[in-house]
Amino acid sequence: MDVPAVRAALAELGLDAWLLFDFRGQNAIARELVGVGGGRKATRRWFVLIRRDAEPSVLESALEQGVVPPLPGSRAAYRGWRELEAWLRGALAGCARVAMEYSPAAAVPYVGRVDAGTVELVRSCGVEVVSSGDLVQLFEARWTPAQAALHETAAAGVLAAKDELFDHVRARLGSITETQALAFLGERLAARGLVSEHPSVVAVNDHAASPHFDTGPADDRTIGAGDVLLVDTWAKVGDEPDAVYADVTWMAYGGDEPPARLTQVWDAVRDARDAAVAFALEATAAGRPVHGYEVDRAGRAVIEERGFGDRFVHRLGHSLGREVHGNGVNMDDLETRDERLLVPGLGFTVEPGVYLPGELGVRSEVNVVVGEGGARVTTEPQRQLILLR
């Protein structure tokens, strides 16, 4: 953690301190920032306080000293709750506004990692607890240049694997199932050294109308002539601990000429994707502040105009990170109103969809990375439906 940069950010944001806290792994953000790896035994509470006017201070249980890796500043151990609370009161003395992984009214659940009781305890020390969402963006969610390069590698790999899958299905149309296609896709990703925390999605017709369809043997379908096929695949470079994800969705039709209904839905989704991307690229290039919810609105408005607004049932896009759903700003004015800003170093998806239960689902997904001079698309946008003829 770059402590001087954190202290500078605290001053810029008008905050007195950032209090990082974890108990039994509930705050993955704090663990990542401080460097408490998954292999470390941590069954008791620990705190790291970074004040803008002082060096960091660490509090650990006397049972588990050394859980928090070395940091500049002071370090103390507590045996019981009285010592823990006394440390908090002393460490927070003189602070008025303290950031924690807390989200008022659960507006940004990805940031809400600290339990209500701990927030109450910290407030009892006479401070105002505010969300660390902006700090998380700056110090956990932003990519390094090396991570951006790893994303580009993953993006090229998932797109190539997707192309191989469509060729594979085309040659076996009418005799290959969703699970068989998924297995082939997994093999092609692995052959490129790419890994994923969860399997991809291969979904036919009404299966594609379930946005988080779980491809599996329970309701396996053959992919045949006249079918709509959705492929959503995500992965990262497997031998790099700091690798970040690429995540794309492409659509295909099992024939020469898509039916009018499919074309109508596809056009709405594609145009919504392009409208949202254009908004993000133009605004960031002009240096205007852009909130996540604004990008959602730019894409959602197109689908609403086409008459499918009630069938677009999820946010427009999500943050990308070491996990496929990262902790940065989401493109969301539906599930939440994400008022965090698009800042340089963030990666995210744009993936509008229209889902017609019992009939079909259509989604199109690209990845966008924000740089110092504006944003750019890092995965090829699908322009036309893939024809499996």
Side-chain angles (χ1 to χ4, degrees):
M1 177 183 290
D2 187 342
V3 173
V6 172
R7 292 172 65 183
L10 289 169
E12 184 175 344
L13 294 169
L15 300 173
D16 296 299
W18 189 359
L19 182 60
L20 296 161
F21 160 80
D22 185 48
F23 175 60
R24 300 179 67 86
Q26 73 186 52
N27 189 350
I29 292 173
R31 292 173 65 88
E32 179 68 34
L33 286 165
V34 174
V36 178
R40 290 176 178 264
K41 186 176 182 180
T43 65
R44 303 298 195 274
R45 291 175 287 179
W46 58 259
F47 295 85
V48 173
L49 180 67
I50 305 175
R51 295 178 60 133
R52 71 180 185 184
D53 61 356
E55 289 296 307
S57 51
V58 176
L59 180 70
E60 302 169 299
S61 167
L63 293 174
E64 297 177 348
Q65 295 184 63
V67 164
V68 176
L71 287 172
S74 63
R75 184 175 293 255
Y78 69 92
R79 292 179 301 160
W81 64 270
R82 294 175 181 85
E83 293 178 0
L84 184 154
E85 293 186 11
W87 181 90
L88 277 176
R89 287 192 296 271
L92 293 170
C95 293
R97 302 181 73 231
V98 176
M100 297 188 76
E101 282 68 70
Y102 151 75
S103 181
V108 184
Y110 282 84
V111 178
R113 306 298 182 98
V114 178
D115 63 280
T118 299
V119 172
E120 291 172 357
L121 173 60
V122 174
R123 284 174 175 160
S124 75
C125 297
V127 302
E128 177 190 2
V129 176
V130 301
S131 176
S132 65
D134 290 332
L135 292 165
V136 170
Q137 290 234 115
L138 295 174
F139 297 103
E140 196 275 345
R142 288 200 299 181
W143 298 349
T144 65
Q147 287 176 308
L150 289 167
H151 165 77
E152 298 273 7
T153 299
V158 296
L159 288 170
K162 170 267 302 177
D163 288 340
E164 290 177 332
L165 172 63
F166 284 134
D167 288 343
H168 186 75
V169 171
R170 182 181 291 110
R172 294 159 179 79
L173 196 65
S175 62
I176 186 171
T177 67
E178 293 166 323
T179 57
Q180 290 169 338
L182 178 63
F184 178 85
L185 178 59
E187 291 169 2
R188 301 320 304 153
L189 293 170
R192 291 176 168 82
L194 302 180
V195 299
S196 162
E197 58 198 280
H198 302 293
S200 302
V201 174
V202 176
V204 169
N205 298 334
D206 58 313
H207 281 175
S210 173
H212 281 178
F213 178 70
D214 187 9
T215 307
D219 189 16
D220 203 8
R221 301 276 181 84
T222 299
I223 306 168
D227 285 341
V228 178
L229 175 62
L230 179 151
V231 174
D232 184 355
T233 183
W234 53 88
K236 63 181 180 179
V237 177
D239 58 357
E240 295 285 348
D242 287 333
V244 294
Y245 273 85
D247 183 5
V248 302
T249 306
W250 279 56
M251 301 296 308
Y253 174 70
D256 294 309
E257 187 69 30
R261 178 66 159 172
L262 173 58
T263 299
Q264 179 190 28
V265 177
W266 163 252
D267 287 350
V269 169
R270 179 202 58 210
D271 294 348
R273 179 201 69 201
D274 291 349
V277 168
F279 174 82
L281 268 56
E282 291 167 8
T284 55
R288 297 198 304 271
V290 186
H291 302 87
Y293 75 86
E294 295 178 287
V295 183
D296 182 296
R297 289 308 315 162
R300 192 171 302 278
V302 175
I303 290 180
E304 290 173 346
E305 290 169 2
R306 306 291 176 88
F308 297 113
D310 63 336
R311 302 269 48 99
F312 182 12
V313 296
H314 57 73
R315 64 193 170 204
L316 181 81
H318 60 81
S319 168
L320 288 167
R322 293 177 183 87
E323 297 179 333
V324 68
H325 287 196
N327 295 312
V329 59
N330 295 313
M331 308 305 109
D332 190 2
D333 195 31
L334 178 71
E335 300 174 44
T336 66
R337 183 178 177 86
D338 202 322
E339 297 185 343
R340 291 176 293 174
L341 293 170
L342 277 60
V343 297
L346 294 181
F348 60 89
T349 70
V350 172
E351 49 180 304
V354 170
Y355 308 95
L356 307 176
E359 186 178 354
L360 58 86
V362 173
R363 182 165 66 250
S364 183
E365 179 179 18
V366 296
N367 299 169
V368 179
V369 176
V370 185
E372 292 295 340
R376 62 187 178 90
V377 178
T378 59
T379 56
E380 178 189 0
Q382 183 177 2
R383 297 300 176 193
Q384 302 179 40
L385 291 166
I386 300 294
L387 299 180
L388 304 174
R389 56 179 183 269

